[in-house]
Amino acid sequence: MSELDLEMVGFFLEEVDELLIKWEGICLCLEKEVTVDHINSLSRIAHNIKGSSASVGLMKLSQFVHLVEDVIVEQKNSNKELTSQTLRMLLGAHSQMAAWVDILKSEPRSEFFPQPFMDEYFSGQHESGPHKTQTPVQSIAKPKEEIKVEKGNETVPNGPVVVAESKQTTEVEAKKSKEEILRISTKKIDALINLIGELSIQQSILQNAIENSGTKLQGQLIYSSLNLSHKITKEIYDTAFEFRMTPVGGIFQRLDRAIKDLSRSLGKDIDVEVSGHEIEIEKTILDKMLDPLTHIVRNSVDHGIESREKRIESGKSERGVISINVSKVEEGIEITVSDDGKGLSEKRILEKAIEKKLISPTASIPREEVYALIFIPGFSTAEAVTNVSGRGVGMDVVMRTIEEVNGKISIGSEEGKGTKFRITIPTNLSIVDSLVVSVNETQYVLPLNFIEEVISLSPSFSPKDNKFLMKEKVIPYIHLSEIFNLELTQVTNDYPVLVTKVNGKRLAIGVESILGRHQSVVRDLNTCFDSSFAVSGGTILPNGEPGLILDISAIMQKFFKYLKTSGEAA
């Protein structure tokens, strides 16, 4: 394949991503209602992918799509009802093509071919050329009674082929290119170009004023031009930053697909309700949130929503509901995932925690902290282990991933009525609202969203066992100087203490002084800081000096493990 061909393949792969998103969306719509418009749209997309892939030399992909297109055309030209088996094939074809495209992005010459899928639905008919093979709907193979997933070697009854976990497609993650491609509207680019033009004009005015300085008028012109330049520079930054913003609706479709696939394999009928899909968030955060959100909705399907029979016995509708809502809040955005299932059993969680010796049988724990126990690694109340869940692996990763983006997660539940996960995350990781503090003439930055309260302590205060009582609650305490092994300056007046909170757990951090609130532009640190558990990034302070942004979650995990403080920390 020539370099020109490789370039054309790159253009094709950028285009096909958007087509595959539309493909999946149409298939999800077809699950609810089959319309001529949906079938025609799907046919056009298939024809487009088939023709474009062939034109850039990806003949295997073109032949694969041709077989799928034949099924769509047969469906379009007949009056037959769209069967669940055909719909499963169309969704499966989407998964295969998405995995295929990921491989081609890093290895355009890859010999990948979805053989298991072909054997499942087309009896391996890919050897024929695209103009020789005609595959009507009736020739789609019936699903096997059991399909084995290679990862874990477990069996999913009547489930779709799980290609993402086959040996071929697990290579995708290892080979996927790290380079990101963003689609940016020309309107945003034009706005940026106009701002740069305005800044260039101001620079010319400023340079001319400096060269002819000496009069009061020229001095005023320099001052005015500098102020305007600062304003334009900020607008340029804001406009450029918007390039990385993307609507959260981009992951709704994938969550909808995950819910539908799993509910189908478990024999449950579930409706999905979404709102707030137009709200924008930084793409980096959105990408990181996909896995934790997928884990939460899969738990809702497996653990939360009851079987059809049990729901009818409980007086509920036989169809469960999972709602995903996004809204703007002061801290950024709030994502809630709720279901109308059986809810969490507070009693069962406590029994399991006592059995694992995580808490004392006599401990009195607020409901919020009882639910937070499910975030402990290895903790599970499931009575049986399945291929979906029950091993106690996952919720701890969910919490850790959310904390990595400076987010918070909480759980609300009512037994017999349902569960709601509430996740609060910033809209971006580049700018963080923070509090600048000082210890031993060194300044540090603490993210404001983790600070619950600021109190003052007397210099005579000597915390016993690193704890003190506040509002009838015992709060673990540490001074910031202890974290960085700094010599504590002699204190003669009351000194501030920041009460931080992460997922229901509190930690009081003493400092010498609070210098003020600051919007910190986050910068990555080089590898020499990798071993520093307490630092998450760097920034430039208001005085122009560099400063370290503290990782509150890491500090809390290091010094106050939940197993030692769960019965005492508020």
Side-chain angles (χ1 to χ4, degrees):
M1 189 176 288
S2 68
E3 289 302 317
L4 179 61
D5 292 328
L6 287 174
E7 185 178 1
M8 295 304 295
V9 167
F11 290 140
F12 163 73
L13 294 176
E14 288 182 33
E15 176 190 6
V16 80
D17 275 337
E18 189 172 338
L19 293 174
L20 288 177
I21 290 173
K22 292 179 180 178
W23 181 300
E24 185 181 45
I26 292 171
C27 288
L28 293 173
C29 290
L30 287 171
E31 283 192 316
K32 301 174 183 177
E33 181 184 9
V34 179
T35 67
V36 174
D37 286 343
H38 287 147
I39 298 296
N40 287 338
S41 296
L42 199 60
S43 178
R44 285 193 295 271
I45 292 172
H47 189 76
N48 193 341
I49 296 175
K50 179 189 73 174
S52 297
S53 57
S55 68
V56 298
L58 299 174
M59 299 310 298
K60 284 189 176 182
L61 177 58
S62 178
Q63 291 174 18
F64 172 82
V65 180
H66 181 79
L67 291 174
V68 179
E69 183 191 22
D70 283 343
V71 176
I72 300 171
V73 171
E74 176 69 20
Q75 183 69 42
K76 183 172 71 171
N77 294 336
S78 68
N79 294 321
K80 296 177 182 177
E81 182 181 350
L82 180 68
T83 66
S84 59
Q85 172 62 10
T86 301
L87 188 55
R88 277 182 57 197
M89 186 280 296
L90 293 173
L91 282 167
H94 167 271
S95 297
Q96 301 300 324
M97 288 186 286
W100 204 333
V101 167
D102 279 339
I103 291 174
L104 290 172
K105 284 178 180 178
S106 55
E107 291 191 15
R109 299 181 179 87
S110 171
E111 294 298 319
F112 172 83
F113 195 85
Q115 191 60 52
F117 180 86
M118 295 299 296
D119 292 341
E120 183 68 24
Y121 290 101
F122 293 97
S123 302
Q125 296 184 48
H126 69 282
E127 293 299 334
S128 301
H131 300 292
K132 298 178 182 178
T133 303
Q134 296 296 323
T135 310
V137 177
Q138 293 87 340
S139 68
I140 299 177
K142 292 183 178 180
K144 299 174 183 178
E145 290 303 314
E146 293 184 339
I147 300 169
K148 289 196 173 182
V149 181
E150 293 184 29
K151 185 176 180 181
N153 199 29
E154 295 175 3
T155 302
V156 183
N158 294 325
V161 178
V162 186
V163 179
E165 295 183 354
S166 70
K167 288 181 179 178
Q168 282 179 301
T169 54
T170 49
E171 295 175 2
V172 174
E173 294 303 318
K175 297 176 180 177
K176 192 181 291 185
S177 171
K178 292 183 179 179
E179 183 180 355
E180 286 188 69
I181 296 174
L182 297 173
R183 289 185 175 273
I184 303 169
S185 69
T186 54
K187 184 179 179 181
K188 289 183 178 180
I189 295 175
D190 290 342
L192 181 61
I193 292 173
N194 288 336
L195 286 170
I196 293 173
E198 289 183 29
L199 184 61
S200 178
I201 292 171
Q202 292 304 316
Q203 286 177 336
S204 298
I205 294 173
L206 185 60
Q207 182 177 353
N208 182 68
I210 292 173
E211 290 173 353
N212 298 283
S213 60
T215 66
K216 184 177 179 181
L217 181 62
Q218 291 296 330
Q220 292 175 343
L221 185 60
I222 291 173
Y223 181 77
S224 174
S225 185
L226 276 173
N227 280 342
L228 192 54
S229 295
H230 287 315
K231 181 182 176 182
I232 295 172
T233 301
K234 186 180 183 305
E235 288 183 17
I236 288 175
Y237 181 87
D238 292 341
T239 303
F241 181 75
E242 286 182 7
F243 289 175
R244 295 192 60 83
M245 301 295 281
T246 184
V248 295
I251 64 172
F252 282 180
Q253 185 171 294
R254 298 171 74 174
L255 295 175
D256 190 353
R257 170 77 181 275
I259 293 170
K260 295 293 176 60
D261 284 349
L262 183 57
S263 62
R264 190 182 298 113
S265 68
L266 296 176
K268 297 181 179 180
D269 295 323
I270 300 177
D271 293 324
V272 182
E273 298 176 351
V274 298
S275 64
H277 59 275
E278 74 286 350
I279 294 175
E280 291 190 334
I281 187 173
E282 187 178 343
K283 187 177 185 299
T284 304
I285 299 177
L286 191 64
D287 290 343
K288 288 185 177 181
M289 289 304 300
L290 178 61
D291 284 344
L293 286 172
T294 300
H295 189 89
I296 289 172
V297 299
R298 284 173 65 84
N299 270 0
S300 294
V301 175
D302 190 33
H303 291 307
I305 304 295
E306 312 94 327
S307 65
R308 188 181 296 108
E309 294 75 20
K310 288 185 178 180
R311 289 182 65 85
I312 293 174
E313 287 177 11
S314 303
K316 297 181 179 180
S317 166
E318 63 180 45
R319 298 187 68 86
V321 177
I322 294 178
S323 300
I324 306 170
N325 304 296
V326 181
S327 58
K328 291 183 178 179
V329 293
E330 186 178 350
E331 299 92 336
I333 69 168
E334 181 179 89
I335 303 173
T336 60
V337 179
S338 58
D339 64 66
D340 66 345
K342 60 185 179 183
L344 295 175
S345 171
E346 188 176 352
K347 179 182 177 182
R348 176 65 179 150
I349 293 173
L350 286 172
E351 288 175 350
K352 199 71 176 180
I354 293 171
E355 177 188 323
K356 287 178 168 286
K357 299 181 179 179
L358 299 176
I359 60 173
S360 166
T362 59
S364 177
I365 305 177
R367 178 177 293 182
E368 178 186 7
E369 293 186 22
V370 172
Y371 295 149
L373 286 167
I374 70 173
F375 294 117
I376 295 177
F379 190 92
S380 175
T381 59
E383 296 179 358
V385 174
T386 69
N387 67 298
V388 179
S389 56
R391 297 177 181 81
V393 178
M395 291 307 294
D396 59 314
V397 179
V398 167
M399 183 178 72
R400 190 160 61 246
T401 303
I402 291 170
E403 289 176 349
E404 284 175 0
V405 297
N406 294 327
K408 297 180 286 186
I409 181 171
S410 62
I411 306 173
S413 185
E414 187 173 349
E415 198 163 353
K417 292 190 176 180
T419 302
K420 176 182 285 187
F421 288 86
R422 181 176 281 105
I423 301 168
T424 305
I425 53 177
T427 54
N428 69 80
L429 292 177
S430 301
I431 301 177
V432 176
D433 281 328
S434 54
L435 212 58
V436 182
V437 301
S438 174
V439 174
N440 196 17
E441 299 184 356
T442 303
Q443 297 182 19
Y444 297 95
V445 177
L446 286 79
L448 206 57
N449 61 320
F450 288 120
I451 300 174
E452 184 181 46
E453 191 173 353
V454 179
I455 62 173
S456 295
L457 287 181
S458 166
S460 61
F461 170 72
S462 177
K464 184 179 179 181
D465 298 325
N466 287 323
K467 299 171 189 174
F468 67 88
L469 193 65
M470 185 184 79
K471 298 178 182 178
E472 300 183 352
K473 291 185 178 181
V474 177
I475 308 294
Y477 170 88
I478 190 172
H479 199 279
L480 195 57
S481 60
E482 298 178 63
I483 297 174
F484 292 100
N485 295 318
L486 299 174
E487 183 179 345
L488 183 59
T489 305
Q490 185 65 37
V491 179
T492 57
N493 299 314
D494 289 357
Y495 63 93
V497 173
L498 313 177
V499 180
T500 62
K501 185 178 180 182
V502 179
N503 293 315
K505 296 181 288 183
R506 290 178 176 84
L507 172 65
I509 301 176
V511 298
E512 288 183 6
S513 62
I514 296 176
L515 303 180
R517 187 169 174 171
H518 178 55
Q519 276 203 328
S520 304
V521 179
V522 182
R523 293 287 183 263
D524 291 333
L525 300 173
N526 61 32
T527 54
C528 68
F529 284 93
D530 287 349
S531 59
S532 180
F533 74 92
V535 177
S536 63
T539 188
I540 301 299
L541 299 168
N543 62 4
E545 295 291 325
L548 297 176
I549 301 174
L550 302 188
D551 188 335
I552 304 299
S553 177
I555 292 172
M556 191 175 291
Q557 290 175 14
K558 179 75 174 180
F559 287 94
F560 301 96
K561 292 184 179 179
Y562 190 89
L563 301 182
K564 295 181 180 179
T565 62
S566 60
E568 301 173 7

